[in-house]
Amino acid sequence: MATAPSSSVLLSGGTIIAFNEDTESLEVIRNGALLVTGDHIAGIYDTAHPNNLPADTEIVDCTGGIISPGFVDTHRHGWQTALKTLSPNTTLPDYLARYIMGGPSIYTAEDIYISQLAGLLEALNAGVTTSLDHSSHCWSKDRANAGLQGSIDSGARVYWSPAFHNTEEYPLKKQIADIKDLAKTTATPDNLTTIGVAYDWWSIAPPEDIQAVIALIKELNIPVSTTHYLGGPWLADNSPEVLQPLGVLNTDMAVVFSHAMAITPTGASILRSTNQFISITPESEMHYGHSHPNAHLIQDQGSLGVDTFLTFSTDLMTQARIWLQRTRSRLYDKVLERWEIPANNPMSVNQAFLMATRQGALALRRPDLGVIRVGAKADLVVFNGRSPGMLGWRDPVAAVILHANVGDIEHVLVDGKFKKRNGKLTYDGYDAVVDRFLACAERIQKAVVDQPDPVIEGRHWGGCEYGHAMVVSACHGSSTGYGKQFLHKN
């Protein structure tokens, strides 16, 4: 799969965005070098050509480039890759009806496998070295296994977290038995794929179902669990207040609350006291209509995710950029509402960078990820500082957060192994993956397009009523320019 590296690699001549554990702040080392030995960072130097290197060290010239820790995505649905561009104008109720409720009738195990694999390779290409995958494709054992195997085969660092639910077609008891079996029988080379748990029914499932999931977590010693929590009018109340009495927060297991846009002060206090995190997915939350009433107030326990990249960007740089400007705009508005002029900038590029790297790692309770320091895992991204969009940079953090794009990424390493080198993925047989994926995508997309549109009316899950947003106009004449989607092939 990935090319086999020398036992030691020196990234030489680049500007390194390191992390100082004592001051808990970023440090920049210019024209330095970083030594990778095995799966970890063995040395950081303030010279491009350090002495006393291991005899077999491979030298990789990074002169003019930026060496960054790999990005950590704390909320992703990898299996949805084949649905790309189908829902550019959707809302959350529409998305749930089309893909979550309709997915079981469309996706085969082959579809899940190749979509998961292609999606994670897309993430690696974008410098996302670690993903917490909310694997909501587990409608049968073969499809669950397909998602797990796609994660393993990608070579990415993945917390594959099967989503448990109780349906007549696939009862919870059977799901639990199947995941136990997969956990015992599936080999995970390099230990890069870890089985987690995703569960979205904490507030509404029967007590016996909840206790069965908790028993599974304990039996398999699950290191990471995740849940969707929105709050406000959405009624998805998998809140810290709900989970705290169940005894799952104040443990060694990381619990990541995805979105949490309407988190309460009490919920925020629980997160801080139990050291649990939320995953903010800014582009998703703006696209679907979640909004961001409170998430910016808990960034000390916050991380960033991509979510449903079938509809938008797959990289954490974009998410960090959007979240930075979204937060700035909200806080500027507070000043402007008082008829005052903002005299300071409320959020820095350094903070946005940490949200996309170290904070994500801490959300997973992995302090050895998302940072460049001696002893940390060698999950690294090297940016080409001479690309057109990066040319002339001085501040490397600002360059990454505000100017870089996926095309600027020259190298990506996971666990000390190159996953992208000289601008190209190193995955063995990638062209064959592309062909398999495109065949899968053509079939799935046709099936989705041929389905009738869901009817969104009445109340959302029996709760709040649906409302209509004003549609803007982008044309001067009688047309708004909204138009139609271009989904049908001639």
Side-chain angles (χ1 to χ4, degrees):
M1 288 168 36
T3 55
S6 302
S7 60
S8 292
V9 173
L10 185 76
L11 303 179
S12 172
T15 293
I16 303 167
I17 306 176
F19 187 78
N20 187 316
E21 296 283 356
D22 294 330
T23 62
E24 291 195 316
S25 61
L26 298 174
E27 283 186 348
V28 168
I29 302 166
R30 298 183 188 273
N31 195 33
L34 186 152
L35 179 65
V36 174
T37 298
D39 63 358
H40 67 280
I41 298 170
I44 302 172
Y45 309 93
D46 59 5
T47 175
H49 306 289
N51 298 319
N52 302 318
L53 296 174
D56 65 343
T57 299
E58 177 188 1
I59 309 296
V60 177
D61 185 9
C62 299
T63 302
I66 298 171
I67 303 171
S68 164
F71 297 103
V72 181
D73 176 358
T74 53
H75 186 59
R76 174 177 290 261
H77 298 284
W79 65 274
Q80 296 178 353
T81 315
L83 301 168
K84 195 168 293 181
T85 76
L86 294 191
S87 294
N89 307 315
T90 191
T91 60
L92 185 60
D94 181 85
Y95 158 82
L96 292 171
R98 287 181 191 275
Y99 306 125
I100 301 305
M101 305 305 293
S105 65
I106 296 173
Y107 271 80
T108 66
E110 161 68 7
D111 298 330
I112 294 292
Y113 172 81
I114 201 64
S115 294
Q116 183 81 355
L117 175 59
L120 287 168
L121 293 176
E122 180 184 358
L124 283 172
N125 185 63
V128 178
T129 53
T130 299
S131 296
L132 172 55
D133 193 89
H134 190 122
S135 306
S136 48
H137 59 75
C138 298
W139 306 303
S140 60
K141 185 177 182 180
D142 62 335
R143 287 178 285 190
N145 182 54
L148 173 58
Q149 197 60 52
S151 301
I152 294 168
D153 291 351
S154 74
R157 193 180 299 279
V158 183
Y159 285 84
W160 179 79
S161 303
F164 290 91
H165 45 268
N166 197 354
T167 65
E168 290 184 7
E169 296 80 11
Y170 198 28
L172 180 63
K173 184 176 181 180
K174 176 73 165 104
Q175 293 173 51
I176 289 175
D178 287 347
I179 296 302
K180 284 183 183 180
D181 185 57
L182 290 178
K184 293 174 183 176
T185 60
T186 305
T188 56
D190 300 323
N191 295 315
L192 289 178
T193 297
T194 302
I195 294 179
V197 161
Y199 192 60
D200 286 337
W201 311 99
W202 294 106
S203 64
I204 59 175
E208 59 269 24
D209 285 6
I210 294 171
Q211 290 305 314
V213 172
I214 292 174
L216 172 73
I217 287 170
K218 291 179 179 178
E219 180 179 342
L220 297 184
N221 195 25
I222 295 295
V224 176
S225 177
T226 187
T227 186
H228 287 103
Y229 163 48
L230 278 70
W234 293 98
L235 301 184
D237 190 19
N238 297 301
S239 64
E241 292 94 322
V242 169
L243 270 66
Q244 174 77 327
L246 297 173
V248 297
L249 295 185
N250 199 17
T251 70
D252 291 336
M253 180 179 67
V255 180
V256 178
F257 295 83
S258 299
H259 310 305
M261 10 70 61
I263 191 169
T264 66
T266 298
S269 177
I270 291 172
L271 292 186
R272 290 182 175 119
S273 67
T274 58
N275 195 29
Q276 304 292 4
F277 281 69
I278 69 172
S279 177
I280 302 165
T281 64
E283 194 170 8
S284 158
E285 290 149 1
M286 295 169 72
H287 176 103
Y288 288 121
H290 299 37
S291 192
H292 296 112
N294 298 330
H296 64 292
L297 301 174
I298 186 68
Q299 290 192 72
D300 52 308
Q301 298 296 135
S303 60
L304 293 178
V306 168
D307 198 12
T308 58
F309 60 102
L310 72 104
T311 43
F312 34 68
S313 315
T314 193
D315 64 287
L316 262 289
M317 294 175 292
T318 298
Q319 304 309 321
R321 188 173 303 158
I322 291 174
W323 181 243
L324 173 65
Q325 307 298 23
R326 169 70 161 152
T327 302
R328 285 173 169 175
S329 178
R330 284 182 56 84
L331 296 177
Y332 281 147
D333 285 347
K334 297 292 185 183
V335 179
L336 294 167
E337 287 168 4
R338 303 194 299 264
W339 284 29
E340 297 173 354
I341 304 301
N344 68 298
N345 195 311
M347 184 173 175
S348 74
V349 292
N350 289 15
Q351 291 172 312
F353 185 88
L354 288 171
M355 291 283 288
T357 54
R358 182 175 184 255
Q359 288 290 98
L362 294 180
L364 303 174
R365 300 199 172 173
R366 290 293 303 269
D368 57 337
L369 302 177
V371 292
I372 291 180
R373 60 169 174 78
V374 173
K377 287 289 188 180
D379 292 6
L380 302 163
V381 178
V382 181
F383 291 87
N384 177 3
R386 296 176 63 86
S387 67
M390 299 281 277
L391 201 61
W393 65 269
R394 192 175 190 89
D395 180 336
V397 181
V400 169
I401 293 299
L402 294 178
H403 297 276
N405 61 61
V406 171
D408 298 322
I409 295 176
E410 195 165 11
H411 310 303
V412 176
L413 292 86
V414 176
D415 226 36
K417 299 180 178 66
F418 282 96
K419 304 298 178 177
K420 182 178 184 178
R421 189 160 191 174
N422 299 322
K424 293 185 178 181
L425 289 169
T426 62
Y427 189 89
D428 187 20
Y430 181 67
D431 288 344
V433 170
V434 170
D435 290 339
R436 283 176 68 184
F437 171 75
L438 290 176
C440 153
E442 176 64 23
R443 188 189 65 77
I444 288 175
Q445 291 181 9
K446 185 179 185 305
V448 171
V449 169
D450 288 346
Q451 288 182 333
D453 292 338
V455 177
I456 309 299
E457 61 182 17
R459 295 179 178 271
H460 181 62
W461 291 347
C464 293
E465 293 182 356
Y466 291 113
H468 291 273
M470 181 187 76
V471 176
V472 302
S473 176
C475 293
H476 182 67
S478 60
S479 171
T480 64
Y482 199 97
K484 63 180 182 180
Q485 277 192 256
F486 302 102
L487 295 177
H488 295 282
K489 297 182 177 181
N490 294 327

